[in-house]
Structure formats: structure tokens, C-alpha cells
Amino acid sequence: MERTLLDFWVGLFVAAGLAALFALALKVSNADSFGGGAGYTVTASFDNIGGLKVRAPVKSAGVLVGRVSDIRFDNKTYNAVVTLRLDSKYQFPRDTSAAIMTSGLLGEQYLALEPGADERNLKQGDAIRITQSAVVLENLISQFLYNKASDASSSSPEDAQHPGAKP
Amino acid sequence: MKANVISRLGRTTLDSIGRLGVASRFLMMILTRSATSWRRFGLIVREIYSSGVLSLVIILVSGLFVGMVLGLQGYQTLETYGSAESLGVLVALSLVRELGPVVAALLFASRAGSAITAEVGLMKTTEQLQAMEMMAVDPIARIIAPRFWGGVISMPLLAAIFSITGIYGGYMIGVRLLGIDDGAFWSQMQSAVDFREDIVNGVIKSGVFGFAVTTIALFEGYDAVPTAEGISRATTRTVVTSSLAILALDFILTAFMFRG
């Protein structure tokens, strides 16, 4: 009698532990999405990827269609080559363009795909030709300051000595 | 006087290196002789009961409270940046990666590890282990190995239960009490927590901790000085050594697993 009661408690404990693991897998993590399932990879090269990271989401029209699987630096073209793993449920034309966007003002960066109009679709190993790099905040600010400075110099030549000193 | 201090230092060092060697031999002995105890699985079930099932209450209660504290603290910080919805990510990642395995292992060391040491130490003091050897029963296979496997099996299950209770505690505080959106809490958590990167690594961590804690507890008990004082010292040493081992191993494992 004591024996079976002990077995019962141990069985209950093991079942609770396994149930907790299942709950962690299904409710807490993304075990069901892109878990090494069917998919195909394409590459895209960018001048600058900003803060894009491996496993960043790939979205089209805001829907998650894949993830960034690899980022490396090409030593011949001096570009960043990003490998995307797309779910095989989603097919894109061959002239699809890729852009690096930011979700929110300071949020994480993701890769947005804008479908083109080609008849043929992207296949495993294809490269996306049209790409748009990440917006680097410093470049944006310096461009803005340059424009301001050139505006100022056309109106009053003295200020041209100190570009960006005064807006 | 000075030479005395230096020679004592040398002896302590040599002693501890020797103990480490004996402990490694002891571990090898457990691993090679545990085939018999797997054949008599009832022995392991009994040890899972005493180290796993009996630790369940403390694991559940402290998991719930750790999760609730994470919920409160995380909410206050995230609220300043207007991203209180990420509370689910914060609670889940900190529990699954670090707090679940580590705190569960620390509790396991002080709840089950000390009990194992005291039990084995008392068996040695009352010469039960020698009596077994006289009857041609191998005490390693009959007493030590079942306790070892019981601890190694229980630990990952306890850590998983700890994590899920903690996440539920964070959910109660964040969603029920502080009014974060229910859907955002779970969906942000699901998009940030990866099964292979986070959950499997957490399970591996807790398995390693279970292995370390039970080995230390069994060795301290088996190696205890067979007196009342010796058992009390061995029990203290078990808790101290296994806590330090857990924290050091956690650093090493984290450095390997989550570099990216």
C-alpha cells in the first residue's frame, strides 16, 4: 500500500515536471514557428545593415514571413551579405526588394520585403537585387546640418566658416 | 611560527587536491556501478520521492514569489520607458535562462542535498555501510547510485516547475494587478523566447546543476568523519560547496550558451 502511494506521488511529480516543460515550449517560447521546418534561404547584400541581428524578423506587409539566419561581410564588394530563411508557405517574385526598417522609434530592426511584379518566384539560393540600407541616425543628422549650413551660406557668406554652428 | 603557517597552508592545499581526486574516483565508481540500480528502478523511484517530490512545496512557493517580485520590479522600470508590455519578455527570459535553474538548484542543494549528506553520513557513522559490505551488498550500488540518479532526474523537472510557476506569478502581478494587456504579455514573450536557445539551454543547465549538487552531497556524506560533529560539518560543507559550484558553473555555462 505504501509502495503504490509513493509510486503515485513520483508519477505525479514527473508528470507535473513534463507538463511544465511542455508549457514552457508551447506557451512561453516560439517552438512552433520556423522550428527548422520547411523553408528556403535567399541572400541580400546591403551597404549598411545598421543594428540588424541574426534571428531578426523578416516581414512583408507587416506579417512575419521568415527570419535572418546569417550575416557576414563580403571582402570583395565590402558589403554586408544577409541570409534570410523564409517560410515555404510564402512565395515572392524575383524582383522583390528588401529594406532594413526599425519598428518604433528606438525599437529593434527588421527586414521588410516589398514584392515586385516578376512572373517567376524567388528560389532557394537566389539573391535579392534591390536593397535599401538601414538609416544611420548620424548620417541623417549630418545631412540635415549640411543642408542647413548651405542654406545659411547662400544667404549670409560669413556663417559658412562655421557649418552647423547655428541652425 | 611563520613556517608553521606556511606548512599548514601547504597541507590544506594538498588535502583539498587529494579530496578532489577521491571525489572524482567516487563519481566514476557511481557511474560504473549504477547499472544494478537501474535494473532495480524502485530504488530510484524512492529517491525521486525524497529529493524531488518533497522539495516541491518550497520550489512552488519560492517560484511564485520570485516571479511576482520580478513582475513588480520589472514593471516599475519598464514603465519609465513606456514599454510595460515587455514585462512578459523580462520575466520569462530571466526565469528560463538564469533564475529558474540557479535558484531551484540552490533550494535543491539546501533542501535535498543536505538531507542526502546527513543520511549517508549517519549510515556511515552507525556502520551500516560496512555492515552491507559484510553481507556482500555493494553500498555504492544499493545506497549511493539510486540517490545520485534520483537527484539528477529530479533537478530539471524542479527547475521547469519553478520557471513556469514564476512566469505565472509574473502574469498575475503584471496582467491581473497592474493591468498590462493580456495578449501583448504572452505574444511578446513568445516572439522573444526561443525554444532551442533559451528553454533547452535552461534544461541543460539544471541537469548539470543536479549532477553537481548530488555528487557533492553524496561525496560529503560518504567522506564524513564518523562522529556527530563530523556529520554536522559535512552537511554545512555540502550546502556551501554546492552553492559555490552552482554559481561558478552557471557563469561558465552562461558564457558558453548565451554569447550572441
Side-chain angles (χ1 to χ4, degrees):
Chain A
M1 185 61 214
E2 227 239 336
R3 210 44 234 269
T4 51
L5 196 66
L6 193 127
D7 282 341
F8 168 75
W9 279 111
V10 171
L12 202 67
F13 167 64
V14 173
L18 292 180
L21 276 176
F22 263 107
L24 283 176
L26 297 179
K27 184 112 180 135
V28 176
S29 82
N30 48 5
D32 44 348
S33 63
F34 310 120
Y40 59 104
T41 57
V42 294
T43 59
S45 63
F46 293 89
D47 294 336
N48 191 333
I49 58 163
L52 194 75
K53 291 193 176 62
V54 174
R55 284 194 36 75
V58 177
K59 293 180 180 178
S60 185
V63 179
L64 183 72
V65 295
R67 286 193 183 276
V68 172
S69 63
D70 184 40
I71 297 173
R72 59 194 172 76
F73 184 70
D74 190 324
N75 221 349
K76 294 215 173 67
T77 58
Y78 303 115
N79 275 352
V81 178
V82 176
T83 309
L84 327 174
R85 185 172 181 81
L86 301 174
D87 195 315
S88 47
K89 270 188 297 192
Y90 307 109
Q91 298 290 335
F92 291 92
R94 279 183 53 176
D95 56 346
T96 295
S97 64
I100 295 172
M101 305 275 196
T102 309
S103 57
L105 193 59
L106 298 167
E108 55 166 359
Q109 289 193 302
Y110 66 96
L111 222 148
L113 293 182
E114 189 71 37
D118 202 298
E119 305 260 299
R120 288 160 300 173
N121 283 338
L122 282 171
K123 298 190 307 291
Q124 163 75 28
D126 277 357
I128 295 177
R129 300 249 161 62
I130 314 158
T131 61
Q132 185 192 327
S133 290
V135 175
V136 178
L137 210 59
E138 285 84 348
N139 291 351
L140 209 67
I141 292 172
S142 68
Q143 234 167 39
F144 173 74
L145 290 178
Y146 248 135
N147 287 347
K148 277 288 172 194
S150 58
D151 284 356
S153 64
S154 57
S155 56
S156 60
E158 300 90 33
D159 282 0
Q161 311 300 25
H162 312 286
K166 230 186 345 179
Chain B
M1 185 60 204
K2 212 172 257 175
N4 195 17
V5 170
I6 292 170
S7 71
R8 262 199 7 227
L9 188 71
R11 194 165 57 231
T12 320
T13 314
L14 286 180
D15 273 357
S16 43
I17 292 174
R19 265 173 71 81
L20 193 64
V22 177
S24 314
R25 213 147 49 88
F26 179 71
L27 179 62
M28 261 333 277
M29 224 147 65
I30 296 175
L31 292 179
T32 49
R33 296 191 203 172
S34 46
T36 355
S37 53
W38 278 101
R39 240 172 284 138
R40 293 182 63 188
F41 197 69
L43 293 175
I44 296 182
V45 168
R46 187 178 290 269
E47 297 313 323
I48 294 178
Y49 179 80
S50 65
S51 61
V53 177
L54 295 181
S55 310
L56 211 51
V57 175
I58 188 172
I59 289 287
L60 283 173
V61 173
S62 41
L64 194 67
F65 277 103
V66 166
M68 294 201 308
V69 168
L70 274 177
L72 273 178
Q73 291 279 15
Y75 180 80
Q76 298 207 331
T77 312
L78 289 172
E79 181 73 315
T80 11
Y81 302 103
S83 54
E85 272 75 26
S86 314
L87 186 67
V89 182
L90 181 118
V91 171
L93 276 186
S94 36
L95 275 168
V96 170
R97 282 186 175 182
E98 292 296 332
L99 288 176
V102 171
V103 179
L106 290 175
L107 292 171
F108 183 78
S110 40
R111 166 67 187 73
S114 58
I116 289 174
T117 307
E119 201 181 4
V120 175
L122 193 70
M123 280 182 182
K124 189 186 180 189
T125 310
T126 51
E127 295 177 339
Q128 292 179 46
L129 296 181
Q130 282 101 312
M132 276 188 160
E133 266 173 34
M134 298 282 268
M135 292 187 288
V137 178
D138 184 5
I140 299 275
R142 177 67 180 75
I143 300 290
I144 307 290
R147 280 170 178 69
F148 176 77
W149 289 110
V152 170
I153 293 170
S154 304
M155 189 56 238
L157 298 173
L158 287 174
I161 293 172
F162 186 96
S163 298
I164 202 78
T165 330
I167 289 168
Y168 188 70
Y171 167 80
M172 283 208 310
I173 291 293
V175 176
R176 292 289 142 108
L177 194 74
L178 299 171
I180 296 173
D181 183 57
D182 192 8
F185 184 87
W186 290 112
S187 72
Q188 291 215 6
M189 186 191 296
Q190 281 166 5
S191 68
V193 180
D194 186 59
F195 180 69
R196 236 169 303 159
E197 282 274 301
D198 298 319
I199 295 187
V200 172
N201 277 348
V203 172
I204 292 172
K205 260 189 183 179
S206 53
V208 172
F209 295 159
F211 190 92
V213 170
T214 32
T215 308
I216 291 168
L218 286 168
F219 177 69
E220 291 291 358
Y222 197 74
D223 192 51
V225 180
T227 56
E229 199 200 349
I231 294 175
S232 95
R233 283 193 170 196
T235 315
T236 313
R237 265 211 309 271
T238 295
V239 177
V240 173
T241 317
S242 40
S243 304
L244 291 177
I246 288 163
L247 295 173
L249 279 173
D250 182 48
F251 173 73
I252 295 169
L253 289 173
T254 305
F256 270 113
M257 288 170 173
F258 305 110
R259 269 185 303 183

